[in-house]
């Protein structure tokens, strides 16, 4: 089966919308971090901005994403994008007044919108790419996501440095309006069945994951990998700059290698695979990433460290496509948005916990020891829990909602 011209148009709009949404968020947060730093607000203010950007994915997602499983997707995304445009204009006003608390509140509000919009975009993909075409559509979506992550810091830095933070935020507000227009331009609509309103409906995605052995094992492995990578993110700065002597430019280039690996991995995920093959490949990819982290921790030079970072990014890009493909094929459509929200919450929680733990552990162990130790722990968990994924079947029934 191949995409029709109508399907290509729809998947292009969805990928562009998802990428534009993430790019706008990256530009806003990065610009505000640079603004706080230039004002001499200190590390606490910068931390508050970064945490306020990540926190809604963890706390607000289970409730905000109920909208994704209750409302038609086009209308929901268009409405949220228009509201985000208003929020960004409010951030421009807050920056003009110099009020850091108002800016933090604005960043929180902006990312509550992301907590709603992201699962809505993801849940729409199976509607425009059913059956065997799903991996290709997910690959495209992840490739555009990686490109947005790669371009976001560069675009944000250029806008803030070239025209100032206020104008950069106004441009960002316009981008969210364009995103609303993209959503309305879609011809495909996901109309979730209303269903009975049950107590605890916001946690339906979490309950489904807990009750499905394949999804549960996959989420455990993802959590372990996220904890390892999150802790390594803290240590990597010191490994590259202090141990291996990287300049700021070289450090930035190594970060770009990760994003390039992410895009290459997402492209590699275009191959059509069943649930069993996807689950087995996921175990292999997780082991690959952990092994690459061992190489990074032991790297004798910046060249080896850069290659290991690219390898981690490559695995990360392929992993994301595989995980989303398995989730779609093992989740009832009625709660698909909420399961994607649970996945987003897992990512947010894992990175917050891992970053905090990594900073604390660096006071007790060396940089190399922390990176290698996290990677080896991840390999142990993969060996124990990965057996559930390795024995997955293509004909296993979908877990009841």
């Amino acid at each position: 089966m191949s995409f029709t011209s109508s399907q290509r148009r729809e998947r292009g709009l969805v990928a562009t919308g998802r990428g534009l949404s993430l790019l706008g968020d990256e530009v806003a947060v990065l610009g505000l971090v640079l603004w706080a730093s230039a004002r001499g607000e200190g590390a606490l203010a910068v931390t508050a901005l970064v945490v306020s950007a990540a926190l809604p994915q963890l706390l607000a997602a289970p409730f905000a994403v109920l909208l994704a499983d209750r409302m038609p997707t086009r209308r929901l995304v268009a409405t949220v994008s228009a509201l985000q445009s208003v929020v960004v204009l409010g951030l421009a006003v807050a920056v003009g007044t110099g009020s850091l608390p108002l800016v933090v509140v604005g960043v929180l509000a902006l990312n509550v919108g992301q907590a709603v919009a992201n699962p809505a975009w993801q849940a729409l993909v199976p509607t425009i790419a059913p059956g065997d075409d799903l991996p290709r559509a997910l690959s495209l979506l992840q490739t555009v996501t990686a490109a947005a992550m790669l371009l976001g810091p560069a675009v944000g830095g250029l806008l803030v440095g070239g025209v100032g933070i206020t104008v950069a935020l106004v441009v960002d507000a316009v981008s969210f309006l364009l995103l609303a227009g993209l959503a309305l331009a879609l011809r495909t609509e996901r109309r979730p069945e209303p269903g009975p309103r049950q107590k605890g409906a916001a946690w339906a995605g979490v309950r489904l994951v807990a009750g499905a052995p394949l999804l549960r094992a996959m989420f455990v492995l993802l959590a372990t990998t996220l904890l390892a990578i999150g802790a390594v993110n803290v240590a990597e700065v010191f490994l590259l700059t202090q141990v291996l002597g990287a300049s700021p430019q070289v450090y930035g280039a190594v970060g770009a290698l990760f994003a390039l690996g992410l895009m290459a991995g997402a492209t590699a995920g275009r191959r059509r695979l069943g649930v069993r093959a996807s689950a087995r490949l996921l175990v292999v990819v997780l082991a690959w990433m952990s092994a690459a982290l061992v190489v990074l921790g032991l790297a004798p030079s910046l060249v080896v460290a850069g290659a290991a970072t690219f390898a981690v990014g490559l695995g990360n890009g392929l992993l994301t496509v595989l995980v989303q493909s398995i989730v779609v094929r093992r989740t009832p459509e009625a709660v698909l948005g909420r399961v994607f929200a649970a996945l987003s919450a897992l990512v947010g929680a894992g990175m917050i916990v891992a970053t905090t733990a990594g900073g604390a552990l660096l006071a007790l162990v060396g940089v190399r020891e922390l990176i290698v130790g996290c990677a080896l722990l991840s390999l142990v968990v993969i060996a124990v829990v990965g057996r559930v994924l390795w024995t997955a079947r293509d004909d296993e029934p979908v877990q009841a909602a």
Side-chain angles (χ1 to χ4, degrees):
M1 182 182 296
S2 61
F3 282 114
T4 65
S5 58
S6 176
Q7 286 176 319
R8 284 194 293 270
R9 174 188 180 276
E10 296 295 274
R11 68 172 182 154
L13 284 175
V14 170
T16 303
R18 168 75 166 153
L20 190 59
S21 176
L22 288 174
L23 183 64
D25 193 54
E26 289 272 339
V27 168
V29 174
L30 180 86
L32 291 169
V33 166
L34 292 174
W35 167 78
S37 177
R39 281 169 50 90
E41 295 284 356
L44 188 60
V46 173
T47 302
L49 288 171
V50 173
V51 171
S52 65
L55 211 54
Q57 294 291 337
L58 174 60
L59 300 181
F63 303 98
V65 84
L66 266 178
L67 296 171
D69 285 331
R70 303 277 188 187
M71 291 181 60
T73 300
R74 291 173 57 220
R75 188 198 316 163
L76 175 62
V77 172
T79 302
V80 169
S81 300
L83 290 174
Q84 285 180 295
S85 179
V86 174
V87 169
V88 175
L89 289 176
L91 280 169
V93 174
V95 165
T97 63
S99 173
L100 182 63
L102 283 178
V103 170
V104 171
V105 171
V107 171
L108 277 168
L110 180 65
N111 284 277
V112 168
Q114 288 293 85
V116 176
N118 288 349
W121 281 117
Q122 290 174 310
L124 183 62
V125 175
T127 306
I128 63 171
D132 291 338
D133 284 329
L134 179 64
R136 293 171 59 198
L138 291 174
S139 171
L140 174 64
L141 195 67
Q142 180 58 22
T143 301
V144 173
T145 298
M149 293 173 59
L150 180 63
L151 292 175
V155 173
L158 287 173
L159 281 174
V160 174
V163 297
I165 180 61
T166 301
V167 177
L169 289 173
V170 171
V171 171
D172 197 29
V174 173
S175 76
F176 279 108
L177 286 179
L178 291 174
L179 178 57
L182 276 176
L184 294 176
L186 286 167
R187 295 170 186 162
T188 305
E189 179 67 287
R190 176 180 180 253
R191 296 183 180 275
E193 294 294 329
R197 298 200 176 251
Q198 299 176 341
K199 184 178 180 181
W203 299 98
V206 176
R207 288 198 301 270
L208 185 136
V209 170
L214 176 60
L215 294 180
R216 183 173 64 240
M218 185 174 71
F219 273 53
V220 169
L221 289 178
L222 286 177
T224 304
T225 304
L226 283 170
L227 288 172
I229 292 178
V232 167
N233 282 343
V234 179
E236 185 187 28
V237 178
F238 301 102
L239 173 69
L240 295 177
T241 59
Q242 295 184 8
V243 178
L244 297 177
S247 65
Q249 292 81 1
V250 172
Y251 178 74
V254 172
L257 283 174
F258 176 84
L260 289 173
L262 203 65
M263 295 175 66
T267 303
R270 291 169 57 89
R271 185 180 177 186
R272 303 171 187 174
L273 299 173
V275 171
R276 182 183 183 186
S278 295
R280 288 190 169 189
L281 182 56
L282 179 59
V283 175
V284 174
V285 169
L286 288 168
W288 161 276
M289 293 174 66
S290 298
L293 289 176
V294 172
V295 174
L296 175 64
L298 300 176
S301 67
L302 287 169
V303 173
V304 175
T309 301
F310 177 83
V312 174
L314 182 69
N316 202 335
L318 181 53
L319 174 148
T320 302
V321 176
L322 292 171
V323 167
Q324 291 182 0
S325 177
I326 293 171
V327 166
V328 169
R329 294 168 194 236
R330 283 290 177 264
T331 303
E333 204 278 338
V335 293
L336 187 57
R338 277 166 282 181
V339 172
F340 275 129
L343 184 60
S344 296
L346 175 72
V347 172
M351 295 310 292
I352 290 174
V353 171
T355 301
T356 305
L361 286 172
L362 277 177
L364 303 175
V365 299
V367 173
R368 292 188 184 273
E369 289 80 1
L370 176 60
I371 295 175
V372 174
C374 287
L376 293 177
L377 177 62
S378 180
L379 283 171
V380 171
V381 177
I382 292 168
V384 175
V385 184
R387 289 178 295 178
V388 177
L389 275 74
W390 200 260
T391 57
R393 304 195 317 270
D394 286 322
D395 59 349
E396 185 178 343
V398 175
Q399 182 79 5

